[in-house]
Amino acid sequence: MNLKIFILLVCASSTTFAQKLENAHKKVDSLFQVQLDQENVKNSFLKVYSDKFGINWNYAEGSFTDGTEVTDQTPFLSTSIAKTFTATLIMMLQEEGKLAVENSISEYLSAEIIDGLHIYQGVDYSKEVTISQLLQHTSGIPDYFEDAPNEGPGFMELLFTDSDKMWQPLETINFAKTKLTPHFAPGYSYHYSDTEYVLLGLLIEELEGKLLHDVLAEKIFSPLQMKNSYMHLRSKPINNNIGKLAELYVDDAEISSFKSLSADWAGGGLATTSQDLLQFHKALNEEVLITNKSLKQMQEWIEESYGFEYGYGLRKFELKKLNPLVGNLSLIGHSGTSGAFMYYSPELDVYLTGTFNQTSYKKKHVIFMLQVLEVLKSLSNLKSL
């Protein structure tokens, strides 16, 4: 090929990609604004990052009830994204030789915690539950947050009726033991359960001889310079000048000031930012925190529901099952009941982190991520020119 023609083709393709990238940015802007314009969405945060496409788009919009605007430094509750952090700590401890995930949790936790933990159809399986089963939600242990109790009010009702209560981890375990019924014998099925991650948090504290929030700070937050992350109601971030927590809504009810949110501990008690979540997820994928062997173990998937799979504190979406038009794309990471998300698409090399701080977005945020990836997918072929 003539050198002049080759140079012209390269320049033309570069111009085309730059134009497409600008158009994609505008489309993502529009998609984000559509969500923010919804009546029940009061504040939203989004980070779109890709080394491949040279993308680093950051969004933080909305306001507090006093009219103050949120910023990209405003921390928000990660809700269940915290499970990925807890699972990562477990894998780090395994690499240090302090545990093995195939072992029973009864080897590490006290009789006070283990006794009566899992009695199913008259058989006591409490000492048979393994760490891996807790990580992957296959233990059968009930979920104190959402499972219906045998009698009395459900846990979510208690959070509202006694919003000033500071919950301790053992209290949530005891609630599961006394008020709820296990779903199956260990290892026989899948049932998402926050109780399992409280047990993992207690196990981490037992092995490290420190509080969970201190372990998180020492092993993850400080090394990765996650300056705006901390355990809500239990610790402080590295950044002393951080503002107040973004407001969280259950429909029209604002609940971020509830002390009862302390119940969401190792399974969801983390306050963070989109940027900090990006730093963590990149470090996890790039084997900064754990080895490739451990990361692969975290990604040994089982079916959660159609189009969804679960590993060790990680969730995988097979997007073609949710929307065939998206093609063979996947998202790996975790979601939260608040509409929080932390995902990576390996096929596109795109990270998406953020939240809508609205529990009605527990599923809607997935649709939003699909829409964003549809926009970015069009860049992939152009970038390869």
Side-chain angles (χ1 to χ4, degrees), residues 319-354:
L319 298 182
K320 65 181 178 182
K321 294 182 179 179
L322 304 177
N323 182 354
L325 297 177
V326 178
N328 293 316
L329 298 181
S330 61
L331 282 169
I332 298 173
H334 217 291
S335 307
T337 190
S338 58
F341 50 91
M342 179 191 71
Y343 283 97
Y344 176 63
S345 174
E347 297 83 5
L348 293 179
D349 185 35
V350 169
Y351 287 89
L352 302 173
T353 60

Tab-separated table of all heavy atoms in Angstrom, residues 319-354:
chain	number	residue	atom	x	y	z
A	319	LEU	N	-24.680	-11.278	29.545
A	319	LEU	CA	-25.598	-10.244	29.079
A	319	LEU	C	-26.455	-10.678	27.899
A	319	LEU	O	-27.572	-10.182	27.731
A	319	LEU	CB	-24.815	-8.979	28.735
A	319	LEU	CG	-24.066	-8.358	29.926
A	319	LEU	CD1	-23.348	-7.090	29.505
A	319	LEU	CD2	-25.008	-8.068	31.083
A	320	LYS	N	-25.974	-11.615	27.079
A	320	LYS	CA	-26.785	-12.044	25.937
A	320	LYS	C	-28.063	-12.752	26.395
A	320	LYS	O	-29.037	-12.808	25.646
A	320	LYS	CB	-25.970	-12.952	25.014
A	320	LYS	CG	-25.540	-14.279	25.616
A	320	LYS	CD	-24.716	-15.072	24.612
A	320	LYS	CE	-24.224	-16.388	25.217
A	320	LYS	NZ	-23.388	-17.154	24.260
A	321	LYS	N	-28.051	-13.294	27.612
A	321	LYS	CA	-29.255	-13.936	28.144
A	321	LYS	C	-30.260	-12.889	28.629
A	321	LYS	O	-31.453	-13.163	28.708
A	321	LYS	CB	-28.892	-14.878	29.291
A	321	LYS	CG	-28.059	-16.080	28.843
A	321	LYS	CD	-27.769	-17.008	30.002
A	321	LYS	CE	-26.949	-18.213	29.542
A	321	LYS	NZ	-26.638	-19.129	30.670
A	322	LEU	N	-29.767	-11.708	28.963
A	322	LEU	CA	-30.641	-10.634	29.411
A	322	LEU	C	-31.096	-9.765	28.244
A	322	LEU	O	-32.209	-9.253	28.239
A	322	LEU	CB	-29.911	-9.774	30.450
A	322	LEU	CG	-29.363	-10.518	31.669
A	322	LEU	CD1	-28.609	-9.555	32.575
A	322	LEU	CD2	-30.484	-11.197	32.432
A	323	ASN	N	-30.204	-9.604	27.264
A	323	ASN	CA	-30.517	-8.828	26.063
A	323	ASN	C	-29.654	-9.348	24.915
A	323	ASN	O	-28.475	-8.999	24.824
A	323	ASN	CB	-30.259	-7.339	26.292
A	323	ASN	CG	-30.614	-6.491	25.084
A	323	ASN	OD1	-30.953	-7.001	24.025
A	323	ASN	ND2	-30.537	-5.182	25.243
A	324	PRO	N	-30.207	-10.180	24.028
A	324	PRO	CA	-29.427	-10.783	22.937
A	324	PRO	C	-28.741	-9.765	22.042
A	324	PRO	O	-27.720	-10.078	21.418
A	324	PRO	CB	-30.484	-11.578	22.153
A	324	PRO	CG	-31.575	-11.843	23.144
A	324	PRO	CD	-31.606	-10.640	24.042
A	325	LEU	N	-29.267	-8.541	21.972
A	325	LEU	CA	-28.691	-7.522	21.100
A	325	LEU	C	-27.317	-7.057	21.577
A	325	LEU	O	-26.536	-6.521	20.797
A	325	LEU	CB	-29.638	-6.319	21.000
A	325	LEU	CG	-31.017	-6.598	20.375
A	325	LEU	CD1	-31.867	-5.339	20.398
A	325	LEU	CD2	-30.883	-7.124	18.955
A	326	VAL	N	-27.018	-7.257	22.864
A	326	VAL	CA	-25.732	-6.821	23.407
A	326	VAL	C	-24.603	-7.722	22.924
A	326	VAL	O	-23.449	-7.294	22.809
A	326	VAL	CB	-25.783	-6.784	24.950
A	326	VAL	CG1	-24.433	-6.380	25.524
A	326	VAL	CG2	-26.849	-5.814	25.413
A	327	GLY	N	-24.926	-8.969	22.633
A	327	GLY	CA	-23.903	-9.895	22.162
A	327	GLY	C	-23.190	-10.604	23.292
A	327	GLY	O	-23.675	-10.645	24.429
A	328	ASN	N	-22.023	-11.158	22.988
A	328	ASN	CA	-21.278	-11.977	23.950
A	328	ASN	C	-20.463	-11.122	24.910
A	328	ASN	O	-19.229	-11.181	24.923
A	328	ASN	CB	-20.375	-12.965	23.216
A	328	ASN	CG	-21.169	-14.012	22.467
A	328	ASN	OD1	-22.134	-14.554	22.990
A	328	ASN	ND2	-20.767	-14.286	21.235
A	329	LEU	N	-21.140	-10.339	25.702
A	329	LEU	CA	-20.494	-9.518	26.715
A	329	LEU	C	-20.882	-10.024	28.097
A	329	LEU	O	-21.961	-10.595	28.292
A	329	LEU	CB	-20.912	-8.052	26.585
A	329	LEU	CG	-20.560	-7.332	25.278
A	329	LEU	CD1	-21.022	-5.886	25.336
A	329	LEU	CD2	-19.071	-7.401	24.991
A	330	SER	N	-20.012	-9.809	29.042
A	330	SER	CA	-20.303	-10.174	30.425
A	330	SER	C	-19.917	-9.022	31.346
A	330	SER	O	-19.177	-8.118	30.961
A	330	SER	CB	-19.550	-11.446	30.826
A	330	SER	OG	-18.152	-11.251	30.728
A	331	LEU	N	-20.444	-9.070	32.549
A	331	LEU	CA	-20.073	-8.137	33.608
A	331	LEU	C	-19.734	-8.948	34.840
A	331	LEU	O	-20.498	-9.841	35.230
A	331	LEU	CB	-21.220	-7.174	33.922
A	331	LEU	CG	-21.437	-5.999	32.962
A	331	LEU	CD1	-22.767	-5.306	33.265
A	331	LEU	CD2	-20.291	-5.002	33.058
A	332	ILE	N	-18.599	-8.651	35.457
A	332	ILE	CA	-18.167	-9.366	36.657
A	332	ILE	C	-17.921	-8.354	37.768
A	332	ILE	O	-17.191	-7.380	37.582
A	332	ILE	CB	-16.886	-10.171	36.390
A	332	ILE	CG1	-17.140	-11.230	35.312
A	332	ILE	CG2	-16.382	-10.834	37.671
A	332	ILE	CD1	-15.896	-11.962	34.857
A	333	GLY	N	-18.542	-8.574	38.913
A	333	GLY	CA	-18.379	-7.662	40.041
A	333	GLY	C	-19.424	-7.930	41.098
A	333	GLY	O	-19.647	-9.077	41.477
A	334	HIS	N	-20.086	-6.877	41.544
A	334	HIS	CA	-21.160	-7.047	42.523
A	334	HIS	C	-22.087	-5.847	42.498
A	334	HIS	O	-21.711	-4.754	42.085
A	334	HIS	CB	-20.613	-7.243	43.944
A	334	HIS	CG	-21.419	-8.216	44.753
A	334	HIS	ND1	-22.703	-7.939	45.193
A	334	HIS	CD2	-21.146	-9.468	45.184
A	334	HIS	CE1	-23.171	-8.986	45.871
A	334	HIS	NE2	-22.240	-9.937	45.866
A	335	SER	N	-23.312	-6.107	42.956
A	335	SER	CA	-24.347	-5.081	43.058
A	335	SER	C	-24.754	-4.914	44.509
A	335	SER	O	-24.422	-5.735	45.371
A	335	SER	CB	-25.589	-5.488	42.254
A	335	SER	OG	-25.287	-5.805	40.936
A	336	GLY	N	-25.532	-3.853	44.755
A	336	GLY	CA	-26.091	-3.634	46.084
A	336	GLY	C	-27.561	-3.299	45.995
A	336	GLY	O	-28.048	-2.810	44.964
A	337	THR	N	-28.281	-3.550	47.069
A	337	THR	CA	-29.722	-3.315	47.090
A	337	THR	C	-30.081	-1.850	46.923
A	337	THR	O	-31.210	-1.508	46.613
A	337	THR	CB	-30.329	-3.860	48.407
A	337	THR	OG1	-31.752	-3.829	48.316
A	337	THR	CG2	-29.883	-3.020	49.596
A	338	SER	N	-29.109	-0.960	47.107
A	338	SER	CA	-29.328	0.478	46.968
A	338	SER	C	-29.218	0.944	45.520
A	338	SER	O	-29.341	2.141	45.244
A	338	SER	CB	-28.275	1.227	47.794
A	338	SER	OG	-26.969	0.864	47.369
A	339	GLY	N	-29.013	0.006	44.593
A	339	GLY	CA	-28.738	0.383	43.215
A	339	GLY	C	-27.271	0.690	43.004
A	339	GLY	O	-26.895	1.321	42.016
A	340	ALA	N	-26.423	0.232	43.945
A	340	ALA	CA	-24.975	0.406	43.825
A	340	ALA	C	-24.407	-0.683	42.917
A	340	ALA	O	-24.938	-1.800	42.869
A	340	ALA	CB	-24.317	0.347	45.190
A	341	PHE	N	-23.309	-0.367	42.210
A	341	PHE	CA	-22.738	-1.331	41.280
A	341	PHE	C	-21.229	-1.146	41.158
A	341	PHE	O	-20.703	-0.039	41.273
A	341	PHE	CB	-23.391	-1.214	39.899
A	341	PHE	CG	-23.440	0.192	39.355
A	341	PHE	CD1	-22.424	0.703	38.562
A	341	PHE	CD2	-24.516	1.018	39.650
A	341	PHE	CE1	-22.480	2.004	38.071
A	341	PHE	CE2	-24.578	2.330	39.161
A	341	PHE	CZ	-23.561	2.816	38.377
A	342	MET	N	-20.546	-2.261	40.953
A	342	MET	CA	-19.095	-2.289	40.723
A	342	MET	C	-18.831	-3.455	39.783
A	342	MET	O	-18.780	-4.610	40.194
A	342	MET	CB	-18.339	-2.483	42.040
A	342	MET	CG	-16.815	-2.542	41.888
A	342	MET	SD	-15.965	-3.097	43.404
A	342	MET	CE	-16.437	-4.843	43.446
A	343	TYR	N	-18.695	-3.159	38.482
A	343	TYR	CA	-18.568	-4.227	37.487
A	343	TYR	C	-17.473	-3.942	36.474
A	343	TYR	O	-17.124	-2.789	36.218
A	343	TYR	CB	-19.900	-4.433	36.753
A	343	TYR	CG	-20.899	-5.186	37.584
A	343	TYR	CD1	-21.873	-4.513	38.308
A	343	TYR	CD2	-20.851	-6.579	37.678
A	343	TYR	CE1	-22.786	-5.208	39.097
A	343	TYR	CE2	-21.754	-7.282	38.459
A	343	TYR	CZ	-22.713	-6.591	39.164
A	343	TYR	OH	-23.599	-7.278	39.954
A	344	TYR	N	-16.986	-5.026	35.903
A	344	TYR	CA	-15.983	-4.968	34.847
A	344	TYR	C	-16.437	-5.847	33.693
A	344	TYR	O	-16.858	-6.990	33.890
A	344	TYR	CB	-14.639	-5.471	35.375
A	344	TYR	CG	-13.544	-5.546	34.332
A	344	TYR	CD1	-13.092	-4.398	33.689
A	344	TYR	CD2	-12.970	-6.776	33.989
A	344	TYR	CE1	-12.079	-4.459	32.730
A	344	TYR	CE2	-11.952	-6.854	33.048
A	344	TYR	CZ	-11.515	-5.690	32.419
A	344	TYR	OH	-10.524	-5.752	31.476
A	345	SER	N	-16.373	-5.306	32.471
A	345	SER	CA	-16.639	-6.088	31.268
A	345	SER	C	-15.300	-6.450	30.635
A	345	SER	O	-14.649	-5.590	30.028
A	345	SER	CB	-17.485	-5.289	30.272
A	345	SER	OG	-17.617	-6.009	29.055
A	346	PRO	N	-14.846	-7.697	30.772
A	346	PRO	CA	-13.530	-8.071	30.243
A	346	PRO	C	-13.455	-7.993	28.727
A	346	PRO	O	-12.399	-7.710	28.170
A	346	PRO	CB	-13.345	-9.508	30.744
A	346	PRO	CG	-14.706	-10.000	31.078
A	346	PRO	CD	-15.490	-8.811	31.504
A	347	GLU	N	-14.581	-8.220	28.047
A	347	GLU	CA	-14.575	-8.189	26.587
A	347	GLU	C	-14.331	-6.778	26.055
A	347	GLU	O	-13.711	-6.599	25.008
A	347	GLU	CB	-15.902	-8.724	26.035
A	347	GLU	CG	-16.182	-10.176	26.362
A	347	GLU	CD	-16.778	-10.396	27.744
A	347	GLU	OE1	-17.076	-9.381	28.429
A	347	GLU	OE2	-16.943	-11.548	28.141
A	348	LEU	N	-14.815	-5.768	26.758
A	348	LEU	CA	-14.645	-4.383	26.333
A	348	LEU	C	-13.562	-3.649	27.114
A	348	LEU	O	-13.174	-2.543	26.735
A	348	LEU	CB	-15.968	-3.613	26.494
A	348	LEU	CG	-17.131	-4.024	25.589
A	348	LEU	CD1	-18.356	-3.175	25.892
A	348	LEU	CD2	-16.751	-3.910	24.120
A	349	ASP	N	-13.083	-4.252	28.208
A	349	ASP	CA	-12.158	-3.574	29.117
A	349	ASP	C	-12.781	-2.279	29.637
A	349	ASP	O	-12.204	-1.197	29.546
A	349	ASP	CB	-10.819	-3.286	28.443
A	349	ASP	CG	-9.804	-2.681	29.413
A	349	ASP	OD1	-9.814	-3.068	30.591
A	349	ASP	OD2	-9.024	-1.795	29.002
A	350	VAL	N	-13.981	-2.419	30.204
A	350	VAL	CA	-14.718	-1.267	30.734
A	350	VAL	C	-15.123	-1.548	32.176
A	350	VAL	O	-15.663	-2.619	32.485
A	350	VAL	CB	-15.981	-0.980	29.899
A	350	VAL	CG1	-16.877	0.045	30.601
A	350	VAL	CG2	-15.601	-0.470	28.511
A	351	TYR	N	-14.846	-0.579	33.052
A	351	TYR	CA	-15.296	-0.625	34.440
A	351	TYR	C	-16.476	0.334	34.626
A	351	TYR	O	-16.457	1.464	34.100
A	351	TYR	CB	-14.179	-0.195	35.389
A	351	TYR	CG	-13.069	-1.202	35.567
A	351	TYR	CD1	-11.963	-1.201	34.724
A	351	TYR	CD2	-13.123	-2.144	36.591
A	351	TYR	CE1	-10.937	-2.116	34.892
A	351	TYR	CE2	-12.089	-3.067	36.769
A	351	TYR	CZ	-11.001	-3.044	35.915
A	351	TYR	OH	-9.990	-3.963	36.086
A	352	LEU	N	-17.472	-0.098	35.387
A	352	LEU	CA	-18.610	0.744	35.749
A	352	LEU	C	-18.777	0.683	37.263
A	352	LEU	O	-18.954	-0.405	37.825
A	352	LEU	CB	-19.894	0.249	35.078
A	352	LEU	CG	-19.908	0.176	33.549
A	352	LEU	CD1	-21.193	-0.493	33.063
A	352	LEU	CD2	-19.770	1.560	32.940
A	353	THR	N	-18.709	1.819	37.924
A	353	THR	CA	-18.933	1.867	39.367
A	353	THR	C	-19.855	3.032	39.700
A	353	THR	O	-19.887	4.032	38.973
A	353	THR	CB	-17.617	2.044	40.150
A	353	THR	OG1	-16.988	3.275	39.740
A	353	THR	CG2	-16.653	0.898	39.894
A	354	GLY	N	-20.607	2.909	40.790
A	354	GLY	CA	-21.475	4.003	41.196
A	354	GLY	C	-22.686	3.522	41.955
A	354	GLY	O	-22.735	2.391	42.447
